[in-house]
Amino acid sequence: MDHATVVVSGTKIAEEIGTSRSEVWRLVQQLRRLGVEIAGHPATGYRLQAVPDLLLPDVLAPLVRATIFDKHIHHYYKIGSTNAAAMEAAAAGAPEGSVFFAEEQIAGRGRGANTWHSARSSGIYCSVVLRPLLPPSEALIISLAAGLALHVAIQAIDPKLSPDLKWPNDLLLDGKKLSGILTEMNAEATRVRHIVIGIGINVNQASFPPELRDQATSLRLSTATEWSRVELTATLLKSLDREYRNLLEKPEARQSILRRFEESSSSVRGREVRVEENGGFEGTTAGLDARGFLQVRTAHGMRTVLSGTVRFLK
Amino acid sequence: MNQKELKELIEFLIEKDIAEFELERGDVKVRIKRGGGSSAAPDTRYFAVHSAPPVTPEMATTPAVPVVATTAPAPTQEAAPVVEENLHIVRSPIVGTFYEAPSPGAPPFVKPGDMVEAGQVLCIVEAMKLMNEIESDVAGEVVKKLVTNGQPIEYGQELFAVRQRT
């Protein structure tokens, strides 16, 4: 990747990958359709106009050395859902630290029946496989830690930016959704087999479809500059690696996650909310309990929010 | 033996004040022990049905009530008057919200009467937007779903009863 933008003849590429020049031409055309800028033709040779901001294993692996994520990076140009691929791979034995990226998801998933808008190469669609040696009830806090890790990563790149965490792990900018996280777990009664954390981040979208315009924003829309997806992804994986190791190794990590979550969330206390679970209820947020569940003070006493549907009332 | 026959049998036993009764007929085995006298301790309550085709616990509970109600408070569903061998209870390993289907509006993972394999997903329990697939740890028939869709679940709460295949 060091000399990615030199001219290479079609014949040489064909020899290196063991195919014909016409097949190389076909592959180049395919890459161009995927948005990779390549100049030239079979006679003169091909040249990459710029190193594409693609989440390729060869590009990312050197940037995340010494984390658990540097060995099993999988990249797809188009996929149904990175979470579905990661869950399937994990069930088939994929090791801890396996990462799945897609430039485009055609069935990106959110919570319940929600979908995740996954336009090609403008966002980051990423799922990671973890295998913590924890009982399932102690692994739940990973859901909060994932949102916190992304918060830390964005601030590391642009300290002026302060996304607002919304329980359990959405990030908001200007009150609109910047990222969403969906975590899936497969566990025995006393032991987690695998956890897949799916992270969707709106990075370089210049606009959103009309039905999302009021709810969604991107880093580009918020900062008026294009972001390197490669840089943000590498920073995120390092941040996630740090949170995860701390959680497994340091007894005080849970307290730290809860404290930093509260510091990074304007809505975890004193916000009027409606909760769409267990018949639905309304009240004022009152912080997190020791396990990380959101507390809501209602007219009928304190209640605990178990799952994720919290709607702001004002 | 159907439910009507069972009920008639129990009424007959009460009428004749018979405390213990056992019947084996082909692959059907019925054993009824009732606390007829005032001194009967609650732990003598016993009612078991082993038969093929299987009798569901709901069906067995109904006729059991009049048998024991004479000396002890009527057992509720939770008191589990049904004692059945090979009945395995699947419990939730986490606190959360119970979902019977992969997404709202989708058909449930399983329903009573379904045969499941060990490792097959029975439901999802969600906590903090973390979806926990709950698997059956035994192979057999789903006899009963013990919770309702969207219900809050405690740690260790009973979710399904599965009759283990032997």
Side-chain angles (χ1 to χ4, degrees), chain A residues 101-116:
Chain A
F101 293 109
E103 296 300 319
E104 181 179 1
Q105 294 189 107
I106 51 175
R109 288 151 66 197
R111 190 179 165 279
N114 295 342
T115 56
W116 185 261

Side-chain angles (χ1 to χ4, degrees), chain A residues 87 111-113 136-137 140 143-144 167-170 181 183-186 189 193 277-278 291-293 306-308, chain B residues 93-97 99 102-104 119 121 126-135 137 150-155:
Chain A
M87 281 298 279
R111 190 179 165 279
S137 56
L140 300 180
S143 187
L144 302 185
W167 191 89
N169 51 26
D170 283 349
I181 295 176
T183 311
E184 296 182 73
M185 174 161 82
N186 181 290
R193 282 204 208 96
E277 69 179 32
N278 195 15
R291 302 167 299 179
F293 286 104
L306 298 176
S307 33
Chain B
I94 59 167
V95 170
T97 303
Y99 299 114
S103 63
V121 175
E126 177 191 12
M128 305 187 204
K129 231 164 95 181
L130 183 150
M131 306 290 172
N132 186 16
E133 293 179 341
I134 309 289
E135 296 177 351
D137 34 14
Q151 183 183 327
I153 299 293
E154 288 302 323
Y155 171 81

Side-chain angles (χ1 to χ4, degrees), chain A residues 72-76 79 82-83 85-87 89-90 94 97-102 125-129:
Chain A
H72 306 279
I73 303 175
H74 306 268
H75 175 261
Y76 302 84
I79 200 172
T82 55
N83 253 41
M87 281 298 279
S98 298
V99 191
F100 296 77
F101 293 109
Y125 319 113
C126 161
S127 296
V128 304
V129 177

